[in-house]
Amino acid sequence: MRRVSACLLIMIGITFISGCTEKDRMYKESRELMDTFCTITVVSPSKEKARKAIDRGFAEIKRLETLLNYFSGGSEITAVNKAAGIKPVKVSRETLEIVKKAMHISGITGGAFDPTIAPVVSLWRFSKDISNPQVPSKDVAADALRHVDYRKIKINTAESGIYLAEKGMELDLGGIAKGYAADRAVEAIKAEGVKAALVAIAGDIRGFGLNTSGQGWRVGIQDPRPDTVSQRPWEDVFASIELKDNAISTSGDYQRFFIKDGKRYHHILDPETGFPAESELISVTVIAPEGYLADSLATAVLVLGVEKGMQLLESMGIGGVLVCADKKILLTKNLKGKINILNSAYRLVNLLSK
Ligand code: AMP
Ligand code: MG
C-alpha cells in the first residue's frame, strides 16, 4: 500500500435508519483498491441485490485500476509510457476516454492540471516512510519539466490510439483516476437497478439518489490542520456538506508531504516550476456533476490559487470550498448556505474581504 488515506468522512451509518421506507436498508462495504480504501454504500430492499451491486461496483474500480495504474507493469498506461516517442499504443475505450478528459481539463486550466507530470513526480518521494527526503535541485526539476506537456499527447480516436510524442514523456492519471473510477462504479451499480448509492475512493466520492432517511448523503471535509494528529485523520472534519446526484473531491497539501528544513513539500506539483504548488491554499474541495471533474479540478485549483481557481469554478458553475493557510474559507456562490462549518477555527470570508 502506497497510501491509505481518506480525506472525506462519510457521515452515515450502515444500519437501518428509522424513518426510511419500510424495506429499504443501507448496505456498506470497504475494500482496498487503487492504493487506498474504497467504500461502497447502496440503498436496497434486498440484501442479495445490494451484494450484487456492491460487487459490481468494486469489480469496475478493480478493472480501471488494472488499466490505469502508473506503477503496474501490465497497465495500459505503462504500455503507452514505454512507447513514448516510438509508436502509438491501442488502448481500451475507458483509457482513451479518461486521457481525453484529462487533456480537456489541462486545456481549461491552462496546464495547471497536466497528466504528463509523471517525470517530475518521479523526482519527489512523498511517502511518510522516507526518513531523509530529498528536495531536487531547480536544474533537475527544470530538466524533468522538458518532458511535461499535455499538448504532446496525440490521440487517434478512430484507432483508439494514444501516442506520447517525445521520448521521456509519461502519463500519470493520479489526479483524475479515482474520481473517474467513482463515476464508472456508480454507472455499474445503477445498472444493477439499485436506487441510491455512494462510492468513495478515499476522498473522491460520487453519490446518486437519497439515503434511507430520504436525504442527500452528508459527507465531511477533512481538517487540513488538526490541532492533534489522530489515528484516523479522515474522521477529523472541519465542515460537512450534502451530496445528491453529484461528486466531491478534496486535494490538499496535507495528504502526502514531507517537511524539510521547516518547509512543507507536498504531492501536488506546479507544472510551471516542477515544485509543489505554492498557492496560499492548503485544501480545495470541488463539488461537480461528475467525479472526474471534481477530482481533476480540485488538483488544478490547488495549483491555480484563490483568484484564478475561483474564477475558473465560477465560470463553470461548479462548487468549490477553498481553504487558505490562515484557515479562512472561500466558497463559490452556488455553495453559499449549503456548508456546515463544524470547527470554529475555520471561518467563511468573502473573496473581496480576504
Ligand atoms: P489529487 O490527490 O487528486 O490532488 O492528485 C494528486 C496526484 O496527481 C499526485 O500524487 C500526482 O500523481 C498527480 N499530480 C500532481 N500534480 C499534478 C498536476 N499539476 N496535474 C495533474 N496531476 C498531478
Ligand atoms: Mg484530484
Side-chain angles (χ1 to χ4, degrees), residues 228-249:
T228 51
V229 181
S230 149
Q231 287 292 85
R232 299 164 70 82
W234 55 90
E235 292 187 356
D236 204 349
V237 300
F238 75 90
S240 74
I241 194 160
E242 206 170 274
L243 208 61
K244 283 187 180 153
D245 292 321
N246 51 3
I248 184 167
S249 285

Side-chain angles (χ1 to χ4, degrees), residues 181-192:
D183 289 336
R184 296 277 69 81
V186 159
E187 290 312 312
I189 290 166
K190 273 187 186 167
E192 289 297 323

Side-chain angles (χ1 to χ4, degrees), residues 125-197:
R125 300 177 76 197
F126 296 109
S127 164
K128 284 189 183 135
D129 312 331
I130 305 289
S131 57
N132 185 22
Q134 296 301 315
V135 176
S137 73
K138 288 211 165 102
D139 287 351
V140 168
D143 198 46
L145 272 180
R146 288 188 301 113
H147 303 299
V148 176
D149 188 348
Y150 68 95
R151 288 163 298 196
K152 293 181 186 159
I153 308 170
K154 305 296 170 198
I155 299 289
N156 182 333
T157 304
E159 304 271 323
S160 201
I162 303 179
Y163 178 50
L164 303 180
E166 281 176 18
K167 251 193 150 41
M169 281 182 75
E170 278 191 335
L171 291 174
D172 167 6
L173 300 174
I176 190 170
K178 294 199 290 299
Y180 178 78
D183 289 336
R184 296 277 69 81
V186 159
E187 290 312 312
I189 290 166
K190 273 187 186 167
E192 289 297 323
V194 305
K195 56 171 133 177

Side-chain angles (χ1 to χ4, degrees), residues 40-53:
I40 296 182
T41 310
V42 303
V43 175
S44 173
S46 146
K47 190 174 179 181
E48 250 159 65
K49 212 172 179 184
R51 158 107 343 269
K52 243 179 117 189

Side-chain angles (χ1 to χ4, degrees), residues 3 111-115 117 121 172-176 178 204 250-252 255-256 267-271 295 298-299 303:
R3 174 161 80 121
F113 182 88
D114 194 322
I117 194 82
V121 174
D172 167 6
L173 300 174
I176 190 170
K178 294 199 290 299
D204 298 295
T250 299
S251 284
Q255 292 169 336
R256 282 203 277 146
H267 73 306
I268 297 173
L269 302 171
D270 185 338
D295 190 357
T299 309
V303 174

